[in-house]
Amino acid sequence: MDLCLHLTTVLCCRMTPLQKASVVQLVRSGFSEFGTPPITAAIGDGGNDVAMLLQANIGIGIYGKEGKEAVRASDYAIPQFKHLQRLLLVHGHRANHRICLTMDLFYYKCVAFVTTQLLYTFYSGFSAVATFETVLFSIYNLTVTSLMCLLFGLFERHLPDDILNANPYLYRKLKHQANLRSWYVCLWILDGIWHGTIIFYGTTYFLNGGNHFSEGTFYDSRGNIQQLFDMSLYGCATYLFVWFS
């Protein structure tokens, strides 16, 4: 293992399936003593590569003449070895970028949603009155934290395919996990607090005829038709602003 630390390539020939898996396990366990355990990838096209594919963190199977055992045991399958470059540089880069930003977006949405309710408690005398209708709470996980994050994670493309494919250094930068650094996540959280505050005061100021929240007269949405502030309308408006933010 000490010798492997000073080499970029090691060739192992005439190995049994168990020995192939042992090499992957050796790399995973041996290098973990020097810091963060490495993420290993194994590539195979035959049944004798199944154990190695299962032992690695990521198994990539190639459709070959020896059958589809390797493809069935792998995490990803490619028709030819030349497609490995696009799998890593394009799809791998985008998958990492989308997952990281989806997590940041999830934090932002949750914080913005909670901020509007937290500010409302200061003006409701901490009476535990719900800001939103029950149905809005029921569809919260679907509309705010699931659907939007899912669409973002599926269709976000921050760089074209040709740029990612022609610049391998962009893929190497992923190991730094810049989008999940603590200070970057804190910026998303602060952004959620800021937007939640703007949504709360902006919505109440608009629906209250230009007055502040504490100066409004509150009625139930099924009460007097001359109500000055409709809490149901306020809840729906705030929910929509959080949804579109």
Side-chain angles (χ1 to χ4, degrees):
M1 183 55 64
D2 294 335
L3 178 62
C4 293
L5 292 175
H6 300 84
L7 301 175
T8 57
T9 304
V10 178
L11 298 179
C12 303
C13 305
R14 309 291 295 179
M15 301 184 67
T16 63
L18 183 59
Q19 289 175 330
K20 293 181 180 181
S22 299
V23 171
V24 177
Q25 177 61 29
L26 178 63
V27 174
R28 294 184 59 181
S29 59
F31 282 95
S32 61
E33 300 177 358
F34 301 93
T36 305
I39 299 177
T40 57
I43 307 172
D45 62 350
N48 58 344
D49 299 320
V50 171
M52 177 183 64
L53 295 173
L54 296 176
Q55 187 63 46
N57 296 103
I58 301 174
I60 303 174
I62 302 177
Y63 288 96
K65 298 180 180 179
E66 302 180 17
K68 297 183 179 180
E69 290 82 1
V71 173
R72 295 192 183 101
S74 62
D75 300 300
Y76 300 94
I78 54 179
Q80 297 180 7
F81 188 81
K82 64 179 181 180
H83 296 140
L84 180 63
Q85 178 179 353
R86 179 175 176 83
L87 176 65
L88 295 177
L89 301 184
V90 178
H91 297 289
H93 183 98
R94 281 187 179 154
N96 182 279
H97 180 78
R98 289 171 177 174
I99 291 174
C100 293
L101 286 187
T102 299
M103 294 177 62
D104 295 332
L105 181 62
F106 178 81
Y107 295 144
Y108 164 78
K109 289 292 183 181
C110 291
V111 171
F113 187 78
V114 172
T115 300
T116 58
Q117 301 179 76
L118 179 63
L119 293 175
Y120 172 73
T121 59
F122 288 96
Y123 294 93
S124 63
F126 297 92
S127 58
V129 177
T131 312
F132 307 102
E133 294 288 345
T134 306
V135 64
L136 297 180
F137 282 109
S138 302
I139 64 176
Y140 169 77
N141 288 329
L142 174 63
T143 57
V144 177
T145 62
S146 296
L147 182 60
M148 295 190 65
C149 295
L150 178 62
L151 294 177
F152 180 85
L154 290 176
F155 300 106
E156 165 64 14
R157 293 193 175 190
H158 65 296
L159 290 174
D161 295 3
D162 53 348
I163 294 180
L164 292 176
N165 206 24
N167 298 277
Y169 75 92
L170 295 174
Y171 180 80
R172 290 195 296 267
K173 291 176 61 177
L174 295 178
K175 65 179 181 180
H176 301 295
Q177 297 292 346
N179 292 330
L180 287 181
R181 292 180 179 178
S182 57
W183 65 268
Y184 191 75
V185 175
C186 289
L187 288 180
W188 278 86
I189 294 176
L190 292 176
D191 197 25
I193 296 175
W194 166 247
H195 285 179
T197 304
I198 295 298
I199 290 173
F200 172 78
Y201 286 106
T203 305
T204 54
Y205 187 82
F206 177 78
L207 294 180
N208 203 21
N211 296 320
H212 295 290
F213 194 96
S214 57
E215 299 174 357
T217 303
F218 301 93
Y219 294 92
D220 185 79
S221 60
R222 301 179 181 85
N224 196 333
I225 60 174
Q226 297 179 353
Q227 59 198 16
L228 297 179
F229 198 91
D230 190 339
M231 287 305 301
S232 297
L233 179 60
Y234 161 75
C236 293
T238 303
Y239 189 89
L240 288 176
F241 283 130
V242 172
W243 198 89
F244 285 109
S245 64

